[in-house]
Amino acid sequence: MKCWLVLLGMALSLPLYAVSPTAAPTAAAAAAQLYGQYCQSCHGADRLGGMGPALLPESLERLKSAEISNTISQGRSATQMAGFAGQLTDEQISQLTAYVQSAPATPPRWSDADMRASHRQPVALSSLPARPQYTANPLNLFVVVEAGDHHVTVLDGDRFRPITRFASHYAVHGGPKFSPDGRFVYFSSRDGWVTQYDLYSLQVVADIRVGLNTRNIAVSDDGNLILAGNTLPQTLVLLDAHGLAPVKTIAVRDAAGHPSRVSAVYEAEPRHSFVVALKDVPELWEISYDRHAAPVYAGLVHDYKMGEALAQPGFLTPRVTPLSMVLDDFYFDPSYQHVLGASRSGQAQVISLDARSKVADLPLDGMPHLGSGISFERDGHRIMATPNLKGGQLSFVDMDSWQLIRQVQLPGPGFFLRSHENTPYAWADSMMSAHKDTLSIIDKRSLSVVRQLVLRPGKTTAHVEFTRDGRYALVSVMENPGELIVVDAQTLREVAALPMAKPIGKYNVFNKINRSEGTSH
Ligand code: DHE
């Protein structure tokens, strides 16, 4: 009996095929056969994805075994994924779950040739209309990522009405990024797809798979280049922002040749460079796309010779800042001279990108979530505020002295923090706690919580983005079905609610392209 329980535990808990030399190959072979019969036609023989997403451990690491089994058994609503409960036994579903969570026998590869073969441009950029094909203000649009059924809604930010809704790739993660004029929006999916979407004609204009597992993307301030950071393979990929043709692939390794996954890429606008955070080696990279350093790359659409530009010393070549530890969550000061970085263990530092070294330690405990930080002026000082994933406090740091000036306790840990130049309040969630339905409204003058807002009792409520004038706050009820709730930012009264499928994030064109101090960039 005990032995049977152990075996069952192994089958349910996962990638344990290698544990028993005799039983393992049989279980693995049975699971592989089931995969070939039921999954391969949509998810690919190599598990790299097809009509359905990739089924690799890297793609699925955020899902619990029970969630994967449930998807195999019940399918996913509003997608092509059917439920197999009627065709597979519970044991077979457990075997398949274990199979897709374990590494394939042949390590997955994604070459430049694979990337080039995936590139498509369904619409020629030259054929696009000169003006938006609708009456809404194109600078007050919101792009809403709906994770519940992998769709994106484009919303009129004046009337709070959807203009269109389209299917995205599986698991778009992180903020979509905009071209400097706000016309194009670029998405990256966890499965490695980068998509260029035209917000004037409301259609996808280009698509490319840059890797098998991607962290995020950044757009250069001249609008000409996209940088994508991958964890599988361990590469950075530079793309032409006008149609997504590949420009350059950079293998991510330290000087000793140790490879590293990319943690995130950022655009440092005043420096005309990208900053790259690495997950596995204690280094921070900066990649310059400065035109003066490379005059050949004039920044004109389709009018530069990239081959010659790449030969310029320093152009699109990483410069390394060595770190004392791996830092992988960052916030930048407005000049982008200083980077505030936190390690997984919660240690935080200030790095000078000019000096290429640490200039201060940051007195933050727990696990500060610097990536969700915001900044604002108070009594002649620039203050940075960051939530904390462990303790659930909000920390306020003076960016002149790098001293902690106040800590405020929220009902529980949350993920996001938002504000706008035109409101005295910042909004924080507690989505990772029992108080997941509670938003805390913080007065940026007194640095204290002045109100708690529960819009839908019991429902996960998080991620706020303001209209371009800061008058309304758009809040996600991150459930499926969920809602996007519009709240008057002054009276805190609800003025509209739109049904949405787990609207995980929303992004206002004007606030993003103008780098509003209260939102992410
Ligand atoms: Fe995110 C942004 C990393 C889990 C929703 N998340 C980001 C960014 C990074 C990051 C580096 C900035 C990218 C950008 O915008 O360019 N996220 C991580 C993680 O390391 C972590 C903890 C684990 C992981 O699996 O990657 C993680 N993130 C999550 C979630 O579980 C969330 C809540 C749901 C989901 O979709 O996976 C989530 N992350 C988001 C959102 C943003 C984001 C909505 C964009 C925030 C913004 O407003 O800009």
Side-chain angles (χ1 to χ4, degrees), residues 472-495:
Y472 297 99
L474 274 64
V475 180
S476 288
V477 177
M478 287 190 188
E479 311 270 346
N480 196 12
E483 287 173 90
L484 191 76
I485 301 181
V486 184
V487 180
D488 184 312
Q490 229 179 339
T491 63
L492 303 185
R493 287 213 191 94
E494 180 176 330
V495 296

Side-chain angles (χ1 to χ4, degrees), residues 61-62 147 172-177 190 215-217 263-266 279 328 344 369 415-416 418 431 463 478 504-507 512 519-521:
E61 67 187 355
R62 300 179 61 257
V172 166
H173 174 234
K177 300 286 147 61
R190 287 192 187 259
R215 289 298 286 172
N216 74 328
I217 51 170
S263 190
V265 296
Y266 305 90
K279 241 181 184 354
D328 73 352
R344 291 262 148 185
H369 190 208
F415 225 79
F416 303 106
R418 280 296 152 85
M431 68 177 277
H463 198 276
M478 287 190 188
I504 201 80
K506 69 209 73 64
Y507 310 88
K512 293 296 173 194
T519 190
S520 61
H521 303 136

Side-chain angles (χ1 to χ4, degrees), residues 268-280:
E269 184 198 6
R271 303 174 69 84
H272 309 300
S273 66
F274 295 113
V275 176
V276 181
L278 305 182
K279 241 181 184 354
D280 304 310

